[in-house]
Amino acid sequence: METTLIYDGTFDGFLTAVFTAFELKLKTVKIVTEQRFLQPLFGTYDTVYTSKEKANRVWAGLKKKMSTDEVRRFYYAFLSEKPIVEDTLYNAIVYVFASHKNVGSDFTNKHILEIAKLTKNVGREKHRMEAFVRFKLTKDGVYFANIEPDFNVLPLIKRHFEKRYADQKWLIYDLKRKYGLYYNLEKVDIIKLDFDASFDPTKTSADIFAAVELEFQQLWNDYFKSTNIESRKNMKLHIQHVPKRYWKYLSEKHI
C-alpha cells in the first residue's frame, strides 16, 4: 500500500520526509508538497514536519556515499520544481543507500540520469540569471532587480551577487515565487514583499526609482542605438546567446 508524505516545499522538509520513509521502513512512498497534495482513493497519507536534525542526517549520509559534485546535483534537481522531482530524488536516494559502492554517476539508472539532466538545466538558468540581472537604483538607495526564472535559482545566485556587489544595498526579487534576497551591506536575508496594486516592478517608474537612474537608462539606450549597426545584425546568433525570454531584464531592449 502506498504512503503519501506531505511536506512544506523546502529542501529540509523533503529530506525530513525521506528520513521518515526510511525510519518507518515504508515500502511504497510518494512525497508531495502541501500545494500539490490530493487525497488518494487508496493508501495512507501523513504530514511531515520539517526537522533540521533529520534533514542533516540524510544529507550527511549522502555525502558519505557520493562525491561533492554528485551530492550537489540532488540539490540542483530539487530546485527545478518539476512535479516528479521528489519521486525521482527519493528513488535515487534509495538506490544510493542500497549500493555498496558510489553510484552517484551511474547513468544507467533512470533516476540518476534524470537528476543529471535537471541539474544541467538549472545550472544553465543560474548562469544566465547571473549574466542578465540588471539593477535599478531606487529612491531609497537600494539597487533593485526583478526576475522570473524557470527554476528556483535564487538560492544559487546568492553568493555571486553577495561577492560582486558587496559595497551596495541590493534586492533581487523573484516575481514568480514571491520572495527575494535583500543585502544590507552586512548579510543577505530572504524577504517577501507586498507590492502596491499600481506598481509594476518591470517598469522604471519615476515614483519609485531615482532620477539618476532614469537618466542612466536614457543614456544607455542612446548608446545602444548609436553602436548598433543595422547591416551587421545577426538576429539568429543574437537570440542564441540572449534568448528572448531574458530581454525583459535588459534596459537596451526597452527602447
Side-chain angles (χ1 to χ4, degrees), residues 155-221:
L156 302 180
I157 65 176
K158 169 181 173 291
R159 183 176 298 179
H160 171 82
F161 287 100
E162 189 175 11
K163 288 183 176 180
R164 187 171 181 180
Y165 301 104
D167 61 341
Q168 58 196 37
K169 295 179 181 180
W170 51 260
L171 167 61
I172 304 175
Y173 204 80
D174 187 335
L175 299 177
K176 185 176 180 180
R177 294 163 186 84
K178 296 180 173 57
Y179 84 101
L181 300 176
Y182 173 63
Y183 176 66
N184 63 2
L185 299 180
E186 295 181 0
K187 63 176 182 175
V188 178
D189 291 317
I190 296 176
I191 66 169
K192 290 182 177 291
L193 299 175
D194 291 322
F195 292 113
D196 186 273
S198 61
F199 173 58
D200 183 354
T202 65
K203 305 295 184 183
T204 309
S205 167
D207 296 330
I208 303 295
F209 296 100
V212 67
E213 178 63 35
L214 301 177
E215 294 173 5
F216 172 79
Q217 296 285 336
Q218 187 58 52
L219 285 171
W220 177 243
N221 289 339

Side-chain angles (χ1 to χ4, degrees), residues 19-36:
F19 182 95
T20 301
F22 276 85
E23 184 180 40
L24 299 179
K25 298 180 180 179
L26 301 176
K27 297 295 183 181
T28 307
V29 179
K30 185 176 184 61
I31 301 175
V32 299
T33 62
E34 296 167 344
Q35 292 78 11
R36 290 192 287 108

